[in-house]
Amino acid sequence: MLKQLNAFNLKRQQPTIARKLKKVIGEIRSLNYITLNDKLIIQGIVHKQVFFVGIDDKVHHISGNIPFSAILDIPGIAPGMNVNIFADLESIEAKLAPSGEQVFCKAIVKITAIAEDISYIFLVAGTDKSVIAETVIKESSEQVLVEDILVLDRSIQKVEECRATVTINNADVLDNKILIQAILHNQIFYIGEDNISYHQSFDIPVSCFAQVEGALPEMNVYAEPVIEMNKVDVISPNELKLKAIIQCNVTVTQEITMSIAVAQDGQEYVINGLIGESTSFQHMVESVEILEHEAIKIRDIKVNLRNISSLVVMDKVIIQGIIHKQIYYVGTDNVNYHQSADIPFTAFTDYPGARPGLNAVIVPVVEYTKYELTCSRKLNEYNIIRFDVTIVEKDILPVAQGTAQDLRVRLPLIVGETSTQVMVHDIEPIEIIENIIVTKDPIIVCTESTASKQTLVSNTIDVYPPAASIGKYKCIIESTTTSILENEIIVSGYFKCYISYADSEGLIYKIERQKHFAVLVPLEGILPSDIIEVKAEVEHVDLSILPGGNQIRILVTIRATVRGFKKEIVYVVTDVTGPDITTNKILILAELPTHEIKQMYVVTEVYDTDLVVVKRTLMLNVVDEGFKPVDVVVDVIS
């Protein structure tokens, strides 16, 4: 059921003059970076908000963005490395132009960048600092051959270039195995038969298993793909054969708590120093799943945890994640079915010493799963998850390194650190935002469309005695029928002709003949459910006596005219309010979508030079004037 549209707001900016500035505030937004060899490009936005007193003695507000960028030299940095960017707004100032029509803003941004690269080193145990480190359990590599037929959009003469990249989508740790899923992205540049260079890209799914003894589902895995070969050959005018060899280097790690020795100097690494004592707690997640098919029994349910995240607040840690379930069951038709489900959950625990800004290391394990099929399609499931939670604080230190007999760990190495200052400024026009309220109501209107088409009907009448001349005649439409198609109407019926003629001796004879006709009249938008009016009339009649006088030929031109009437719901503007806005309205008697008849005002004109007014001509029942075409406002755009 259609209801009245809520009044909606349009916003427009109107130039004004500021008497004085009250304050200006700013913040850094949309910080991102691009890594090059030995250089780092940083981009961001200073979002400013200016509060000023207008000539109306009211405090107004304007806002805007000032983009900034900087190029930093960091020897050793390369594409693919991780960079931590910190940007502080050291100062922001605003000054009003003497005319009061503009404000000048200036900001100074301090940018600090720390570039990291992953390294594997041997750590010496010590007593200087307790940390959580990722010890390397096992490393492995696996090669996979990818073959596919690539179909081009055009015929090809030759391949100019083929660029390939691999993106790891997912890496799952199973018992003693690693399942890797990736996408091989190929960009083909080729010359078509028209000697024009074209480009087309292809995404080929890739998956492989890596055998890693000792791997367990709760461990971490890092997969690094390397394209060892990627080749395409032309096998037909629009087909290429792709062959690629991808090597996946896999490292499995496990987080452990250990004490290390800090070196006096040397390369610095990012370590996770322990804060307080680790804690463990259990959390139960109950869920109800409706099966897609009726089941007689559950064969198995496999459960794993995904998207685990944490938020550290004062003396507490909040954990969120998803339980991903794979349900295997037997239907009442004895067919095996599979169904998956994602169950979000939230848990929290007390952790003395936790505070915002610190990081939480979460090790979740599904300890227990119970399920019961309460009816043929309703499955109740209970999962108990144990969380091992440790709060850590990142620190940058040189560490004492050992030999191959010591623990091998995965640590981020500090490649370089640098900072710079950037000054940005802009000029903002003083404008105020005005709210314009537009109200719309739905009404039912009857729209009319008309179309006509001619048809020529030919008929030959045998006469006796033979005709020498034709006297009076007329043809009239006797009956019509209609058949409505989509966008067309078939008008058919019968017409009768009354003819008098004289023979060679001057005797008068009268004859009557009835004939069928049909006209296909096109009418855009007409539907079988619409109401129509049809009129068929004889426009012209031509009679002639054929040689010998035994036949009279009749040519009748018939025009069929169709008027289509359809009801539709139209939203019309019934009110527009805002600063310095005036309108013209008329009072109409309107039918609402509820079929209620009521009087209401509709807007026919909006007087404002900054607004775009959309009108439509509708047949409306104007009070005291009756039905007439009216140009009514149906939309207002700022």
Side-chain angles (χ1 to χ4, degrees):
M1 178 179 175
L2 290 172
K3 298 181 179 180
Q4 175 180 334
L5 279 179
N6 292 330
F8 62 91
N9 288 336
L10 293 178
K11 295 184 181 293
R12 65 173 178 183
Q13 295 180 327
Q14 288 288 86
T16 188
I17 296 176
R19 290 186 187 276
K20 64 177 180 179
L21 296 179
K22 184 178 180 183
K23 67 175 179 178
V24 58
I25 58 177
E27 62 177 343
I28 305 295
R29 293 183 178 179
S30 304
L31 203 60
N32 58 76
Y33 65 88
I34 302 172
T35 53
L36 306 174
N37 290 325
D38 299 325
K39 291 188 184 300
L40 179 69
I41 300 174
I42 298 174
Q43 298 171 319
I45 289 174
V46 176
H47 179 72
K48 67 179 187 299
Q49 300 185 68
V50 180
F51 298 85
F52 64 92
V53 179
I55 56 176
D56 55 2
D57 290 329
K58 295 180 181 178
V59 176
H60 300 279
H61 163 265
I62 59 174
S63 62
N65 295 323
I66 311 175
F68 67 87
S69 61
I71 300 178
L72 304 180
D73 291 322
I74 304 180
I77 193 173
M81 290 186 181
N82 182 53
V83 182
N84 293 316
I85 305 293
F86 307 94
D88 296 320
L89 187 60
E90 292 195 328
S91 69
I92 183 168
E93 300 174 358
K95 182 180 178 181
L96 193 61
S99 63
E101 297 177 348
Q102 294 176 321
V103 61
F104 302 94
C105 293
K106 180 177 70 173
I108 297 177
V109 182
K110 182 180 180 181
I111 303 170
T112 302
I114 303 174
E116 304 173 358
D117 193 17
I118 297 301
S119 65
Y120 294 88
I121 62 173
F122 295 99
L123 272 185
V124 174
T127 58
D128 293 335
K129 197 169 185 67
S130 295
V131 300
I132 287 185
E134 287 189 85
T135 180
V136 177
I137 301 299
K138 195 72 179 288
E139 291 178 302
S140 180
S141 64
E142 187 75 24
Q143 288 185 333
V144 59
L145 173 65
V146 181
E147 292 184 292
D148 202 355
I149 302 298
L150 310 181
V151 179
L152 300 175
D153 295 335
R154 299 170 179 84
S155 297
I156 181 176
Q157 287 190 41
K158 66 176 182 178
V159 176
E160 280 190 296
E161 185 182 1
C162 178
R163 300 175 187 172
T165 57
V166 179
T167 302
I168 299 292
N169 283 349
N170 193 37
D172 288 330
V173 184
L174 309 176
D175 290 338
N176 301 317
K177 287 184 178 67
I178 307 297
L179 171 61
I180 301 169
Q181 294 173 307
I183 293 292
L184 175 61
H185 179 71
N186 267 275
Q187 298 187 73
I188 310 295
F189 299 86
Y190 64 95
I191 303 295
E193 290 185 338
D194 53 4
N195 292 320
I196 297 176
S197 180
Y198 295 98
H199 165 266
Q200 194 169 338
S201 61
F202 300 89
D203 288 330
I204 299 99
V206 180
S207 61
C208 69
F209 273 106
Q211 194 75 26
V212 181
E213 294 297 329
L216 297 173
E218 62 266 23
M219 294 181 179
N220 302 323
V221 60
Y222 300 95
E224 181 183 351
V226 178
I227 300 176
E228 296 197 334
M229 184 194 80
N230 191 86
K231 182 183 178 183
V232 291
D233 295 313
V234 180
I235 59 174
S236 74
N238 66 333
E239 288 184 329
L240 303 175
K241 184 171 184 179
L242 168 71
K243 284 188 177 181
I245 297 177
I246 302 172
Q247 177 168 310
C248 292
N249 300 316
V250 176
T251 303
V252 178
T253 67
Q254 187 174 25
E255 292 173 335
I256 63 169
T257 301
M258 63 181 297
S259 295
I260 63 171
V262 177
Q264 296 297 321
D265 54 17
Q267 290 182 318
E268 294 184 326
Y269 296 85
V270 180
I271 62 169
N272 292 319
L274 290 180
I275 301 294
E277 294 291 333
S278 299
T279 184
S280 297
F281 74 100
Q282 291 177 320
H283 178 70
M284 186 172 75
V285 179
E286 300 181 40
S287 62
V288 177
E289 194 69 28
I290 303 300
L291 300 178
E292 297 173 355
H293 306 274
E294 292 189 351
I296 57 175
K297 69 174 181 179
I298 304 298
R299 289 179 51 227
D300 190 18
I301 296 182
K302 296 185 181 298
V303 178
N304 58 49
L305 301 175
R306 293 182 176 179
N307 302 337
I308 301 297
S309 63
S310 62
L311 174 65
V312 180
V313 297
M314 191 60 66
D315 295 327
K316 284 183 173 57
V317 179
I318 301 171
I319 302 170
Q320 293 180 311
I322 291 175
I323 296 180
H324 180 71
K325 300 188 296 185
Q326 303 276 351
I327 305 169
Y328 302 89
Y329 63 96
V330 180
T332 54
D333 53 2
N334 290 319
V335 175
N336 290 324
Y337 293 102
H338 164 264
Q339 186 172 329
S340 62
D342 288 328
I343 309 299
F345 67 86
T346 301
F348 74 93
T349 183
D350 293 325
Y351 198 109
R355 65 181 187 275
L358 300 181
N359 298 318
V361 177
I362 311 294
V363 180
V365 177
V366 179
E367 286 192 323
Y368 177 75
T369 297
K370 179 185 177 182
Y371 55 84
E372 59 177 334
L373 192 63
T374 57
C375 66
S376 60
R377 293 184 61 188
K378 184 178 180 181
L379 176 67
N380 294 336
E381 187 173 352
Y382 309 90
N383 300 104
I384 296 178
I385 310 171
R386 189 189 80 243
F387 296 98
D388 295 327
V389 182
T390 306
I391 298 295
V392 297
E393 184 175 22
K394 288 188 179 294
D395 202 355
I396 298 176
L397 296 171
V399 296
Q401 299 187 34
T403 62
Q405 284 72 35
D406 296 303
L407 278 177
R408 188 164 180 255
V409 298
R410 184 180 189 270
L411 282 180
L413 167 69
I414 299 299
V415 176
E417 178 179 354
T418 187
S419 63
T420 187
Q421 286 182 320
V422 178
M423 185 175 72
V424 294
H425 57 84
D426 79 340
I427 301 174
E428 188 81 20
I430 296 293
E431 296 176 330
I432 58 174
I433 305 299
E434 293 182 342
N435 284 325
I436 301 169
I437 301 175
V438 180
T439 306
K440 289 184 177 182
D441 284 284
I443 64 172
I444 294 178
V445 297
C446 186
T447 58
E448 176 185 338
S449 55
T450 304
S452 66
K453 192 173 182 181
Q454 289 178 324
T455 187
L456 182 65
V457 181
S458 177
N459 191 25
T460 302
I461 302 174
D462 295 328
V463 294
Y464 185 83
S469 63
I470 295 175
K472 294 182 179 180
Y473 61 88
K474 68 174 181 178
C475 293
I476 60 173
I477 303 293
E478 284 198 321
S479 63
T480 58
T481 59
T482 58
S483 178
I484 306 177
L485 309 176
E486 188 172 344
N487 298 319
E488 294 175 323
I489 301 100
I490 300 175
V491 180
S492 60
Y494 290 90
F495 68 92
K496 181 177 282 189
C497 290
Y498 301 89
I499 306 170
S500 62
Y501 73 93
D503 61 8
S504 56
E505 297 179 356
L507 297 177
I508 303 298
Y509 297 89
K510 294 183 178 180
I511 56 175
E512 297 178 6
R513 288 292 185 272
Q514 188 184 57
K515 183 67 176 175
H516 181 266
F517 72 93
V519 188
L520 183 64
V521 182
L523 185 59
E524 188 67 28
I526 198 72
L527 296 173
S529 58
D530 293 340
I531 301 171
I532 62 170
E533 286 184 1
V534 175
K535 180 182 179 183
E537 56 184 349
V538 176
E539 285 194 332
H540 181 71
V541 179
D542 183 37
L543 301 182
S544 60
I545 301 173
L546 298 183
N550 293 321
Q551 290 181 320
I552 297 176
R553 185 174 63 188
I554 307 173
L555 295 176
V556 180
T557 302
I558 298 175
R559 178 179 293 274
T561 302
V562 179
R563 296 173 64 196
F565 303 91
K566 62 190 303 182
K567 289 186 175 182
E568 65 173 308
I569 296 174
V570 177
Y571 282 91
V572 294
V573 175
T574 55
D575 197 17
V576 182
T577 59
D580 302 323
I581 290 181
T582 57
T583 61
N584 281 351
K585 299 180 182 180
I586 61 170
L587 184 62
I588 66 169
L589 197 62
E591 180 184 357
L592 304 184
T594 58
H595 302 297
E596 176 189 359
I597 305 297
K598 64 174 288 189
Q599 289 187 352
M600 62 189 299
Y601 282 96
V602 293
V603 177
T604 58
E605 193 63 69
V606 179
Y607 297 102
D608 188 283
T609 57
D610 295 328
L611 297 176
V612 177
V613 178
V614 181
K615 293 184 178 183
R616 183 175 170 184
T617 302
L618 302 176
M619 187 65 69
L620 300 179
N621 187 1
V622 181
V623 174
D624 297 331
E625 298 183 37
F627 281 95
K628 58 183 288 188
V630 179
D631 291 335
V632 64
V633 178
V634 294
D635 204 0
V636 178
I637 304 170
S638 176

